[in-house]
Amino acid sequence: ETGVTQTPRHLVMGMTNKKSLKCEQHLGHNAMYWYKQSAKKPLELMFVYSLEERVENNSVPSRFSPECPNSSHLFLHLHTLQPEDSALYLCASSQDHTTGLPYEQYFGPGTRLTVT
Amino acid sequence: GDSVTQMEGPVTLSEEAFLTINCTYTATGYPSLFWYVQYPGEGLQLLLKATKADDKGSNKGFEATYRKETTSFHLEKGSVQVSDSAVYFCALRTDKLIFGTGTRLQVFP
């Protein structure tokens, strides 16, 4: 399944670095999501974009900055991260965020981030 | 608020054993219910879903029935294979998608 791709797959960065995660969906969807997956914790929704506008931001620290230039691409810009930010970052897309229909989210493989 | 509770893992089974992974939910409205699976090194994949009470979702030999009276959506499979080893997530959706913590399944030959 290559509907949602993420790069890089693995990233190691120091606390003073700046890096970006990239997500691309080839499914014709118009909503995209960033999730954080940490060991032994529920999946945490970070950001939601619908029709390229941010519709949800779940109290995520400002050191994470999302960007959605078009409906197919989503970025997560990272700067001044902390070791506790080490996790698997998952991107997802769906057909529609707003209609209330039981839409399905399609996930990418994730970027494994380690902050040293 | 809305929430999903799954049984803690890991669940360890021999090949061809019967599988049940329990999932219960709390929701104020009438949620849709989902099971997602995450294989090692991959993202989450939708396994099955049910949108209303008494619906049964099924896929790849897995089944789950939406039980409104017990607020449950337990995942079952009659005969597991080694290739079913993965982490399974129960989820509900009202206005947003909410996941449980996941249950790791390990199947040994």
Side-chain angles (χ1 to χ4, degrees):
Chain A
E1 175 63 56
T2 56
V4 182
T5 58
Q6 289 186 243
T7 54
R9 294 294 306 274
H10 300 272
L11 178 62
V12 179
M13 59 186 289
M15 290 190 284
T16 57
N17 291 158
K18 290 184 180 181
K19 296 286 184 182
S20 295
L21 310 185
K22 179 182 176 182
C23 175
E24 185 172 0
Q25 59 96 359
H26 310 275
L27 300 170
H29 292 163
N30 55 31
M32 296 186 77
Y33 312 78
W34 278 118
Y35 287 88
K36 177 182 179 183
Q37 186 178 31
S38 305
K40 300 188 179 182
K41 293 175 70 173
L43 219 59
E44 299 173 55
L45 179 63
M46 301 174 71
F47 300 104
V48 180
Y49 276 82
S50 180
L51 299 172
E52 301 152 43
E53 290 197 14
R54 191 189 309 181
V55 297
E56 194 159 339
N57 174 352
N58 287 336
S59 304
V60 179
S62 60
R63 56 186 184 269
F64 295 91
S65 174
E67 178 190 1
C68 187
N70 56 61
S71 60
S72 299
H73 294 86
L74 184 66
F75 294 90
L76 188 62
H77 303 299
L78 316 171
H79 66 95
T80 327
L81 294 191
Q82 304 299 310
E84 61 265 27
D85 297 322
S86 299
L88 182 68
Y89 288 84
L90 292 166
C91 173
S93 70
S94 70
Q95 183 60 40
D96 196 316
H97 175 71
T98 59
T99 63
L101 294 174
Y103 63 84
E104 298 153 18
Q105 291 187 14
Y106 293 80
F107 284 79
T111 295
R112 174 69 62 187
L113 173 67
T114 303
V115 181
T116 60
Chain B
D2 297 348
S3 66
V4 175
T5 303
Q6 287 182 242
M7 59 190 293
E8 288 212 18
V11 173
T12 304
L13 295 173
S14 297
E15 209 164 23
E16 299 182 5
F18 185 87
L19 168 71
T20 300
I21 299 179
N22 290 339
C23 170
T24 57
Y25 66 90
T26 301
T28 52
Y30 298 94
S32 295
L33 301 174
F34 305 85
W35 277 101
Y36 280 82
V37 58
Q38 185 176 31
Y39 298 102
E42 298 184 17
L44 277 68
Q45 301 174 26
L46 179 65
L47 180 59
L48 53 86
K49 69 178 181 181
T51 58
K52 61 183 187 298
D54 300 324
D55 268 2
K56 177 185 284 188
S58 62
N59 186 25
K60 300 181 181 179
F62 291 89
E63 292 183 340
T65 300
Y66 190 142
R67 301 285 188 201
K68 188 166 178 285
E69 63 276 11
T70 54
T71 61
S72 64
F73 193 55
H74 304 321
L75 183 68
E76 297 182 334
K77 186 175 186 183
S79 176
V80 293
Q81 305 300 311
V82 172
S83 57
D84 294 326
S85 299
V87 181
Y88 292 81
F89 293 87
C90 186
L92 69 83
R93 182 190 180 257
T94 49
D95 62 338
K96 62 177 68 174
L97 194 58
I98 296 172
F99 288 87
T101 53
T103 302
R104 181 174 299 280
L105 170 65
Q106 297 174 326
V107 181
F108 293 96

